[in-house]
Amino acid sequence: MSETKPFNRLPQDYLTPIPNGGRVVRFEYDTNTYDEAATPLQKFCYVYLPQGYTEEKHYNILYAVHGGEGNIEAYLGNCETASPIRIALDHMIANCDIEPLIVVSATYYNQTSLAGNVGGAADIIYHFHNELAGDLMPSVESAFSTYAEDVTPAGLEKSRRHRAFTGFSMGSLATWVTFLNNLDAFAYFLPMSGDLWVNGARDRGTPGNAEAAADLLDANAAKYGYANDDFFIYAVTGDEDIAYQPMKGLIQAIRDRTHNFAFAEDAAESGNIRWRVEPGAYHSYEFVPLYFYNGLMEFFKK
């Protein structure tokens, strides 16, 4: 049995495609913040636009990055083929579980995938925040209608309550790292099946990493000076997931050692972090629609 309150169950028909769902477009952008050498690089992401998308309306936006064995199609599929996660999003919007939103599926990789190279992928993830803030967000939010009045750092900070970040596995590491580096641009975080490694892959699973990571997260919240209700983390995994014990350790360290996090067991309670565990769930994207269904329904409320 899970030691947390159960998830709301994903309706079975939410994995069945519906007519006239949202569409996915390929969006190309230039970056020169990928590495310290400022090497120019053209990259692309997939952008989900909800049914009825119009430039006349402002939309919340969610950025999602894949895991170490995943790729840029992990969340949305591609322009032609819809993934289960994208189909579930269509249902959630159509049934008014969530407001229509834009979803950006991006990659922290360069030209070459580092799938299977945990240390190499982690090193890239720790630099991805530069590309995220310097190139990806300004490019995307200049092209699509979000709540950002402009894409300057000040404009992105002003609209941060309408912006979220998520990732599965190594993408969850990226989510914690985004909290550390881009809290001024994001208010909502959905880390799925992955903890924070303070010193990259070298500290993965080592004694003391959870405590050091908790201290780092706490200090970061204090550094930005945001109040208790200025950000929200919905942390999830399964009790048969390889990430369960490391993530559980991080959550326990946050409970024990930090001052800027307040746990809430459900939406009726105030707090800025929630921890959910799905019984029987293992390390697989097949559980991400369930995690999205529960997490996104609590985002963009403040």
Side-chain angles (χ1 to χ4, degrees):
M1 281 293 291
S2 167
E3 75 274 26
T4 69
K5 287 191 175 182
F7 285 103
N8 294 316
R9 305 325 301 170
L10 182 73
Q12 289 186 342
D13 64 348
Y14 274 34
L15 298 179
T16 301
I18 61 174
N20 302 317
R23 60 190 176 96
V24 166
V25 299
R26 175 177 166 136
F27 180 78
E28 296 187 353
Y29 65 100
D30 295 316
T31 177
N32 63 357
T33 54
Y34 178 82
D35 57 22
E36 294 180 358
T39 304
L41 182 68
Q42 186 175 74
K43 295 182 69 174
F44 76 92
C45 58
Y46 285 118
V47 180
Y48 170 89
L49 301 174
Q51 181 182 10
Y53 171 83
T54 172
E55 293 291 328
E56 303 304 313
K57 180 179 178 180
H58 299 301
Y59 293 87
N60 297 317
I61 187 166
L62 170 70
Y63 290 82
V65 294
H66 56 80
E69 296 296 329
N71 58 53
I72 200 169
E73 297 184 6
Y75 295 99
L76 301 176
N78 53 44
C79 301
E80 292 77 32
T81 304
S83 68
I85 299 166
R86 174 174 155 192
I87 293 169
L89 281 170
D90 285 340
H91 281 275
M92 292 173 68
I93 293 169
N95 291 313
C96 300
D97 298 324
I98 60 174
E99 293 183 6
L101 83 166
I102 296 170
V103 181
V104 179
S105 181
T107 180
Y108 39 80
Y109 290 150
N110 187 350
Q111 307 284 26
T112 304
S113 169
L114 291 172
N117 182 352
V118 173
D123 289 342
I124 290 176
I125 285 170
Y126 272 87
H127 289 284
F128 178 67
H129 67 91
N130 296 307
E131 178 184 329
L132 176 65
D135 299 312
L136 179 59
M137 285 193 292
S139 297
V140 168
E141 299 193 39
S142 293
F144 301 100
S145 183
T146 69
Y147 281 87
E149 295 179 2
D150 60 67
V151 294
T152 63
L156 294 172
E157 180 172 12
K158 186 177 179 181
S159 57
R160 62 183 292 274
R161 290 181 181 270
H162 299 279
R163 194 174 296 108
F165 195 99
T166 188
F168 175 78
S169 190
M170 294 287 283
S172 186
L173 170 64
T175 305
W176 294 111
V177 173
T178 299
F179 180 90
L180 291 178
N181 292 283
N182 307 103
L183 188 56
D184 55 346
F186 291 86
Y188 297 92
F189 301 86
L190 177 59
M192 301 180 290
S193 297
D195 62 320
L196 173 63
W197 312 337
V198 170
N199 195 28
R202 292 185 296 277
D203 275 357
R204 188 184 189 193
T206 59
N209 182 75
E211 289 75 14
D215 287 342
L216 190 61
L217 292 166
D218 190 51
N220 186 71
K223 179 186 75 174
Y224 278 95
Y226 291 128
N228 182 280
D229 62 349
D230 284 331
F231 62 86
F232 181 70
I233 298 173
Y234 195 100
V236 299
T237 193
D239 64 5
E240 295 186 13
D241 196 303
I242 58 173
Y244 169 62
Q245 289 296 340
M247 204 171 186
K248 180 181 179 182
L250 175 61
I251 295 299
Q252 188 58 55
I254 292 173
R255 287 185 187 273
D256 292 344
R257 300 169 66 88
T258 64
H259 305 90
N260 292 289
F261 293 91
F263 280 82
E265 292 302 318
D266 55 46
E269 300 178 16
S270 62
N272 58 14
I273 186 168
R274 187 157 304 134
W275 166 234
R276 287 285 184 269
V277 179
E278 171 67 1
Y282 46 90
H283 205 67
S284 170
Y285 282 96
E286 74 175 84
F287 299 102
V288 172
L290 173 69
Y291 300 157
F292 267 39
Y293 178 65
N294 283 264
L296 292 183
M297 284 198 293
E298 299 198 37
F299 283 9
F300 310 118
K301 303 291 187 183
K302 297 179 180 181

